[in-house]
Every structure is written in C-alpha cells, then in structure tokens.
Amino acid sequence: MKERLEALKQEALQELSFVASQQELNDLRVKYLGKKGPLTEVLRGMGALSAEERPVIGQVANDVRAAIEAVIEEKQAAYTKEETENRLRSEMIDVTLPGRPSQQGAVHPLSKVIQEIEDIFIGMGYTVAEGPEVEQDYYNFEALNLPKDHPARDMQDSFYITEEILMRTQTSPVQVRTMEKRKGEVPIKIICPGKVYRRDDDDATHSHMFQQIEGLVIDRNVRMSDLKGTLLQFVQEMYGPTTKIRMRPSFFPFTEPSVEVDVSCAMCGGEGCRTCKQTGWLEILGAGMVHPRVLEMGGYDPKEYTGFAFGMGVERIAMLKYGIEDIRHFYTNDLRFLKQFLHV
C-alpha cells in the first residue's frame, strides 16, 4: 500500500505539472483529493491493515495529501495573482488624460421670472402664500363670487375629479384660504405663485397648464390708487424705470371695479411696432378692488375693510421680458432654447 501511495503521488504531481488552466487545476483537485478519489480509497482500506502498519501507512497518506495540496495551492495562488493583474490592467485609468468637462445647468426661465417677481413684491412687504393644486369647487369658484352655473365659469373650464373637486383654474383659492386663516385680522399682503389648469387647446399663446401669480391686499382705506402705484412699481422694476402702465375697464366676478392692465411696449418704447401691433401697449395682467361679497365670504366686513387683487400669467411676463413668441417653448425641454438663459 505504501508503494501505491508513492505511485499515486508521482502520478498526481506529474499531471499537476502540465496544468494549463484554473479549471484543469480544480478538476485534478477533485480527481485526487475528492471523496471518490484514489487517496480516499486507500485510506478506506486501512481497516484491513495490522495495528503496526496502520500508523505508518497513515503517515505516508498524510504526506502524499500534503504534497499534492501544496502544489495545488501554489498553482492556485499563481492563477489568482495572474487574474488580479489582468483585471487591474483592464480597469486601468489613465490619470494623464484631460478631464471631461461637465455641462453647466441654468435656472429655467419661468423659475427665474417667478423668483424675480417674488423678490420685487417681498421688497414691497408682501409674503408668499401657497395652496393645493387639487382644489374644492367652493374655494376655486363659489367663495370668489362664482356660484354654480355662473356663466363666467365657462372662461375657466377645468379638469374635474368629482363634481366638487377639480384642478384649480387660478391661484385665487389661496387668497380665500388666507382670509379664512387670518379670521378678520389685517393687514393682508400676499402673493400666491403656482401652477393652474384649464381646458385650453395648446397653441402659441395658450397651455392647459401654466404658472400664475396673484396678489391680495386687505386693510382699512385701501384704494384704487394704491393698486395703481403697486403695479407701476412692479412693472418698472421688471421691465425698466421708463415703463408706463395703462388701466382699462374690464369685468371679473371677484373684483369691482375691475381693470385690464397694459404696459408700454419695451420693444418700441410705446411708439408702435409689430410686437405691440402698432398700439404701443401690451396687455400684462388683470386686477381690481376686491368685491364686497368676496370680502364678506372671507370673514371681513366690507363696510370696514377694502382691498385690491391682481393676477398675472408668469409665461406672459416671461414672453414679454425675453421676446419669446411661443409659450410651448417653456415646456418642450429643448436644450437649444433653454441654453439661451444660461447667463441671463
């Protein structure tokens, strides 16, 4: 049996000397050291040996196993080292290469205009108020003097979720919620920026979703002249100190009296051009004195308090400010358009 073990050792070492891959090495490990290998069979036959032969053969068998395992471990270490070196070579990074410059982003033009409008009104003592985009019919219409079946609702057809829940058509509900929250306290000076939704057909000047900013002031002795002065200061900070405003009579259910507000055309200085259709003026927003009924529903005595409100579409402000002709440019994510505002 001793001779058999020695022959097994020589056979294994010879085969190991010709191993060409890690797979072959694993196969030889199983062949000679596995549970069904020749070395295991020899050890199983030791039970037939005498008590004197058993320790001698056992020692020889252990030496044979140790010799085979040593060669296998040595070759395994070599293969592991080679694999590591190959992986390092394949994953090597040339640190001498120039870096890849990252593209610098920019604030979206609508966000930029919203921030600018907020800064102007905060400088005049206003605070920014926000509310839900999914709104109750009561806050969106009824509390603003637009009861159900009022014909003026047709101008603000929206997306209804239920008969009483809809996507808000204006940020005016924030004004109502603010009045309820303040419970008759004055003064109120807020602007309400946010998204609004209407069932409009998308074209160069209309969108089913757009940004709006409304303002509300309530106090004692608030007059129409205060509204005019506020809007004049706003447009001059937005478009330049020589900008003028014009107020034309209009109708809104939630203000009385109501006005449409125009600004002098920045392109021609009011002389008349293609942009302003030769009129010298550009419509910019709607405004008016808060309707007594709206004050009353908000918890304010219209005999003691007055107020004014105004509302503007941010896209309209931005289009006039930057000379943009199509509102859809704001929402198509065309980098050629957006990159123009990188350093504006």
Side-chain angles (χ1 to χ4, degrees):
M1 187 173 287
K2 183 177 180 181
E3 291 76 11
R4 184 181 175 187
L5 286 170
E6 287 295 336
L8 182 62
K9 174 183 175 182
Q10 294 304 320
E11 178 186 345
L13 294 179
Q14 185 176 7
E15 285 200 56
L16 287 169
S17 66
F18 293 106
V19 167
S21 68
Q22 189 164 349
Q23 183 59 50
E24 291 182 12
L25 183 65
N26 291 333
D27 293 342
L28 289 177
R29 177 189 287 111
V30 174
K31 176 180 178 180
Y32 288 102
L33 303 180
K35 293 181 180 180
K36 297 181 180 180
L39 185 59
T40 302
E41 291 181 3
V42 171
L43 295 175
R44 286 174 181 168
M46 289 180 60
L49 300 175
S50 63
E52 294 79 12
E53 291 178 316
R54 225 175 268 156
V56 176
I57 298 303
Q59 182 62 47
V60 173
N62 288 336
D63 292 343
V64 171
R65 175 182 287 276
I68 296 174
E69 286 180 343
V71 175
I72 290 175
E73 290 176 1
E74 180 182 354
K75 288 187 173 293
Q76 180 64 53
Y79 282 125
T80 301
K81 181 180 179 181
E82 181 182 4
E83 181 183 353
T84 301
E85 291 176 351
N86 291 337
R87 187 172 69 252
L88 290 175
R89 279 195 295 270
S90 66
E91 297 175 357
M92 184 183 302
I93 299 175
D94 186 353
V95 295
T96 65
L97 289 173
R100 296 184 179 91
S102 59
Q103 292 187 346
Q104 181 180 1
V107 178
H108 192 279
L110 289 182
S111 298
K112 190 186 298 288
V113 170
I114 291 173
Q115 292 171 2
E116 188 172 352
I117 294 173
E118 288 179 346
D119 289 343
I120 291 172
F121 280 101
I122 288 173
M124 289 191 280
Y126 287 69
T127 58
V128 178
E130 296 181 339
E133 294 178 22
V134 180
E135 188 56 274
Q136 298 178 38
D137 182 272
Y138 172 79
Y139 289 106
N140 194 81
F141 289 124
E142 294 181 41
L144 293 166
N145 202 31
L146 280 162
K148 294 186 185 298
D149 300 324
H150 193 290
R153 286 198 182 203
D154 294 340
M155 300 171 59
Q156 297 187 20
D157 192 13
S158 184
F159 302 94
Y160 279 82
I161 299 171
T162 69
E163 290 187 0
E164 298 298 329
I165 302 295
L166 73 159
M167 304 300 293
R168 68 183 180 186
T169 62
Q170 52 199 354
T171 56
S172 302
V174 182
Q175 300 179 19
V176 179
R177 290 178 176 275
T178 301
M179 286 190 284
E180 284 189 352
K181 184 177 180 181
R182 295 293 294 273
K183 297 180 179 179
E185 294 181 0
V186 292
I188 291 179
K189 290 183 71 175
I190 60 169
I191 56 171
C192 318
K195 297 177 183 177
V196 298
Y197 306 83
R198 298 183 187 179
R199 290 184 59 189
D200 281 335
D201 294 328
D202 290 359
D203 57 28
T205 57
H206 297 85
S207 174
H208 66 279
M209 185 279 295
F210 57 96
Q211 307 280 343
Q212 191 178 58
I213 293 183
E214 297 193 14
L216 173 69
V217 173
I218 297 177
D219 204 347
R220 293 179 174 86
N221 301 318
V222 176
R223 298 164 297 181
M224 195 75 168
S225 58
D226 298 319
L227 170 62
K228 182 177 181 180
T230 298
L231 296 180
L232 180 61
Q233 181 173 342
F234 162 67
V235 299
Q236 289 183 345
E237 291 195 40
M238 176 62 67
Y239 295 113
T242 60
T243 306
K244 301 176 183 178
I245 65 171
R246 180 179 70 176
M247 304 174 76
R248 295 177 288 109
S250 185
F251 166 77
F252 301 110
F254 29 82
T255 54
E256 180 60 38
S258 304
V259 293
E260 296 282 1
V261 181
D262 304 329
V263 296
S264 55
C265 180
M267 300 296 179
C268 62
E271 296 295 326
C273 66
R274 186 177 66 175
T275 301
C276 61
K277 299 179 180 179
Q278 306 302 323
T279 65
W281 298 95
L282 293 167
E283 182 182 334
I284 191 174
L285 57 85
M289 301 301 292
V290 180
H291 197 288
R293 177 63 177 155
V294 175
L295 287 171
E296 188 176 11
M297 294 185 72
Y300 289 81
D301 185 352
K303 295 181 180 179
E304 184 176 358
Y305 302 105
T306 55
F308 63 75
F310 55 85
M312 64 189 81
V314 177
E315 287 84 351
R316 178 68 172 165
I317 302 295
M319 290 170 75
L320 295 177
K321 184 176 180 67
Y322 298 122
I324 299 169
E325 296 180 352
D326 196 322
I327 192 175
R328 291 169 292 193
H329 290 322
F330 292 120
Y331 300 109
T332 53
N333 297 323
D334 189 332
L335 291 178
R336 295 171 299 178
F337 169 76
L338 297 175
K339 283 181 178 179
Q340 298 179 75
F341 302 92
L342 184 60
H343 302 294
V344 173

